Amino acid sequence: MDVMEAARAEEARGRSIIHMEVGQPGTPAPGPARAALARAMAGEPLGYTVALGLPDLRARIARLYRDWYGLDLDPNRVVVTAGSSCGFILAFASLFDNGERVAIGEPGYPSYRNILKSLGLVPVGIETRAENRFQPAPADLARGDLAGLLVASPANPTGTMLGRAELAALIGAAAERGIAFVSDEIYHGIQYGARAVSALEISDEVYVINSFSKYFSMTGWRIGWMVVPEAHVRRVERLAQNLFICAPHASQVAALAALDAVEELDANLAVYRANRALMLRGLPEAGFTRIAPPDGAFYVYADVSDLTDDSNALSARILAEAGVAVTPGLDFDPGRGAGTLRFSYARSTADIAEGLTRLRRWSRR
């Protein structure tokens, strides 16, 4: 967020800035979603919905699991949320008691840690390794003090994914130790080889968090969903009623239509695929050679410890000297993030090409 603000200030002074710091699509919500909302606004009050979400939307999300994973999912297990952030709050409040310890991989999305702390829980960072594709491994759970484990595949900031065998091993190890398993799947749909595996393909006794923000290009609409075990639905419903009342009705209407905008969404994915190819070629040419393998999402995570021990200062220098905004790694990994940067390629291909040109020029200087 600080980098975004610094980039905005530079633009306000008239500079051209290429945004590789922003973890959101550069495309709008799908056309059918916007059209559906326009129709609804013309004739509906768009007031409160039931806490678990519009029944038609929950049923359509359940059908997505059949289409993507071949699963027969009970719509009653689907909870519509105000973005994935709301889903994490509900999941953590439902699963854990004050003071319990929840493991998260590092590098990882920083809000996991901060949401846990805000709820009186203790985040336990797992220092992931390159040989495990920067993902937690079953051996990381052999410590006896964990109530939960949160895993993201594809991950932010690395873009790495867990295969079915690796994900099953983690879920099995957690179950053996009585550790609740939460799967962040908000980048599902954005993958470039093998498809992402859902934790629901392996077990029904997990919490899955997803969102319309990334693949469906609806970040600002604040709409997502979670899937919970059948026995937990009523507990989560009571929490949702009291904490949020419901997800925004307008966004639920748009989300329902977005689920059928396959052609437009696949076109967005084709842009990410082209951008990824540019990044994998262009970043090494600009001196960023040590990168995690981006299987999905729209990020490249680079080890720049050969260039700096202060990624904040390096990102500020790149912004000032090259006109490219990139994200320092400190928030993702408190231990090693001073030597890492995250590059997002979610914007247009023309922007990505120009950003890489600027980085190459900057590295030569």
Side-chain angles (χ1 to χ4, degrees):
M1 295 299 107
D2 289 344
V3 173
M4 287 176 62
E5 174 55 27
R8 184 208 60 78
E10 289 292 306
E11 288 174 320
R13 286 192 282 269
R15 286 193 71 195
S16 165
I17 301 297
I18 298 298
H19 292 275
M20 291 186 175
E21 87 283 20
V22 181
Q24 66 175 349
T27 49
R34 289 176 277 137
L37 179 57
R39 291 192 299 271
M41 289 175 63
E44 297 182 38
L46 299 180
Y48 294 137
T49 72
V50 293
L52 294 177
L54 293 171
D56 286 351
L57 178 56
R58 296 170 70 201
R60 182 62 185 86
I61 290 170
R63 182 153 64 89
L64 182 73
Y65 283 84
R66 185 193 69 195
D67 297 342
W68 281 11
Y69 313 106
L71 296 176
D72 183 15
L73 178 66
D74 182 356
N76 291 321
R77 294 175 56 197
V78 177
V79 180
V80 179
T81 62
S84 62
S85 298
C86 170
F88 291 119
I89 293 170
L90 291 172
F92 298 159
S94 171
L95 288 169
F96 308 121
D97 288 328
N98 188 60
E100 289 193 310
R101 299 166 67 82
V102 180
I104 54 176
E106 292 176 345
Y109 179 53
S111 291
Y112 300 149
R113 185 186 318 119
N114 296 325
I115 294 171
L116 287 165
K117 287 180 179 178
S118 74
L119 294 174
L121 303 168
V122 181
V124 178
I126 294 173
E127 189 172 289
T128 60
R129 297 171 293 280
E131 57 266 31
N132 294 328
R133 306 183 72 76
F134 298 102
Q135 293 279 0
D140 296 320
L141 305 185
R143 48 186 299 151
D145 63 344
L146 297 176
L149 170 66
L150 190 157
V151 169
S153 173
N156 176 12
T158 61
T160 63
M161 296 196 317
L162 288 161
R164 185 183 182 92
E166 292 81 10
L167 183 59
L170 267 176
I171 293 173
E176 288 173 6
R177 294 170 171 80
I179 296 171
F181 193 93
V182 181
S183 182
D184 177 355
E185 301 182 1
I186 72 169
Y187 290 98
H188 277 220
I190 306 176
Q191 59 262 324
Y192 307 102
R195 72 162 176 82
V197 180
S198 174
L200 293 170
E201 296 178 68
I202 296 160
S203 172
D204 284 328
E205 298 305 312
V206 295
Y207 274 50
V208 164
I209 311 292
N210 211 317
S211 172
F212 287 89
S213 290
K214 309 302 182 177
Y215 174 74
F216 295 97
S217 196
M218 296 177 66
T219 50
W221 298 71
R222 307 315 304 139
I223 187 73
W225 75 89
M226 59 196 299
V227 181
V228 303
E230 183 179 357
H232 293 224
V233 171
R234 180 58 177 156
R235 180 197 310 173
V236 173
E237 181 181 26
R238 291 197 303 268
L239 285 165
Q241 287 168 336
N242 285 280
L243 293 174
F244 305 105
I245 301 180
C246 65
H249 191 162
S251 296
Q252 292 189 59
V253 170
L256 178 59
L259 285 159
D260 291 320
V262 176
E263 184 175 346
E264 185 175 344
L265 297 170
D266 284 348
N268 292 345
L269 180 59
V271 172
Y272 303 147
R273 190 184 305 278
N275 291 355
R276 175 179 178 270
L278 286 175
M279 295 288 277
L280 293 179
R281 182 172 66 251
L283 284 177
E285 292 173 353
F288 304 103
T289 58
R290 298 190 290 182
I291 59 180
D295 306 312
F298 33 60
Y299 308 116
V300 175
Y301 195 60
D303 181 344
V304 293
S305 57
D306 58 328
L307 304 175
T308 187
D309 59 3
D310 186 347
S311 59
N312 273 343
L314 181 61
S315 67
R317 184 178 168 194
I318 292 172
L319 177 62
E321 298 176 4
V324 179
V326 302
T327 304
L330 280 172
D331 280 348
F332 303 115
D333 191 338
R336 297 169 293 177
T340 59
L341 294 175
R342 188 192 75 177
F343 299 83
S344 170
Y345 52 89
R347 305 291 282 232
S348 71
T349 301
D351 274 0
I352 299 306
E354 173 62 20
L356 289 168
T357 296
R358 295 183 186 188
L359 289 171
R360 283 192 292 266
R361 288 192 197 123
W362 174 81
S363 68
R364 293 190 200 109
R365 293 199 304 269

